[in-house]
Amino acid sequence: MNKSSVTMALIMAAAMTSTAAIRPALTLTRDEDMARCAAIGAREARLDCFDALARQLSNKASPATPSVASTAATPPPGAAAAVSAADPKNFGLTAAQQHTADLGPKMITANIANLSSDQTGATLVVLDNGETWSVAHNDGWLASGQAVRIKKASAGAFLMFIPSNHSYHVRRLR
């Protein structure tokens, strides 16, 4: 072996030894503290406990060791989340590749509270639940007070249906 190969082997051995020394301490602390945080009944207090634990563990981890917070992160509320999205073996896979289910409703129903237009000519639909949707191609069938159903479609699109079964591609603005 040449000198650079020996040096590289020593560096790799030192890195593996330091990582192995840190990992048992992190695992022990994580298991005990995770159980303690999970036992807290109040939602805000439980979240504060988990946040503090994540900060504590990330401070203990060396830069070469991934922190608990980065490997076990959960998606923010309202995101298209998955049952197994936090699993490290799914890193880099899309939601479709993971065969995951989106959280949240598949359809909403509401009544049109107000219709207006923006500068581009798109129709703005304000629903009685406070949501505002943009309709690209209004054919004149939409009216205030009308009941609508909005469903998820393919490729992240949404369709608005009115009682006469006319459908419109819509995009949520607010």
Side-chain angles (χ1 to χ4, degrees), residues 112-119 121-126 132-135 138 142 144 173-174:
I112 297 176
N114 188 17
L115 287 171
S116 62
S117 296
D118 66 5
Q119 300 87 349
T123 301
L124 302 180
V125 177
V126 179
T132 302
W133 294 79
S134 172
V135 179
N138 182 2
L142 294 173
S144 292
L173 301 176
R174 284 175 262 192

Side-chain angles (χ1 to χ4, degrees), residues 137-157:
H137 305 288
N138 182 2
D139 60 3
W141 287 83
L142 294 173
S144 292
Q146 196 170 44
V148 296
R149 290 176 296 134
I150 300 176
K151 291 183 172 185
K152 289 183 179 181
S154 62

Side-chain angles (χ1 to χ4, degrees), residues 108-113 127-131 145-150 161:
I108 64 165
T109 58
N111 291 318
I112 297 176
L127 302 177
D128 59 358
N129 63 7
E131 296 176 359
Q146 196 170 44
V148 296
R149 290 176 296 134
I150 300 176
F161 295 91

Side-chain angles (χ1 to χ4, degrees), residues 10 19 41 50-51 53 67 69-70 75 79 84 102-103 125-126 167-168:
L10 288 173
T19 301
F50 281 122
D51 287 346
L53 178 61
S67 69
S70 66
S84 61
D102 289 337
L103 299 177
V125 177
V126 179
S167 64
Y168 304 90

Side-chain angles (χ1 to χ4, degrees), residues 13-26:
M16 291 172 70
T17 303
S18 65
T19 301
I22 291 172
R23 201 162 297 230
L26 285 175

Side-chain angles (χ1 to χ4, degrees), residues 36-37 46-58:
R36 180 179 49 83
C37 289
R46 185 173 55 249
L47 180 59
D48 290 342
C49 180
F50 281 122
D51 287 346
L53 178 61
R55 281 190 301 275
Q56 175 189 6
L57 292 176
S58 66

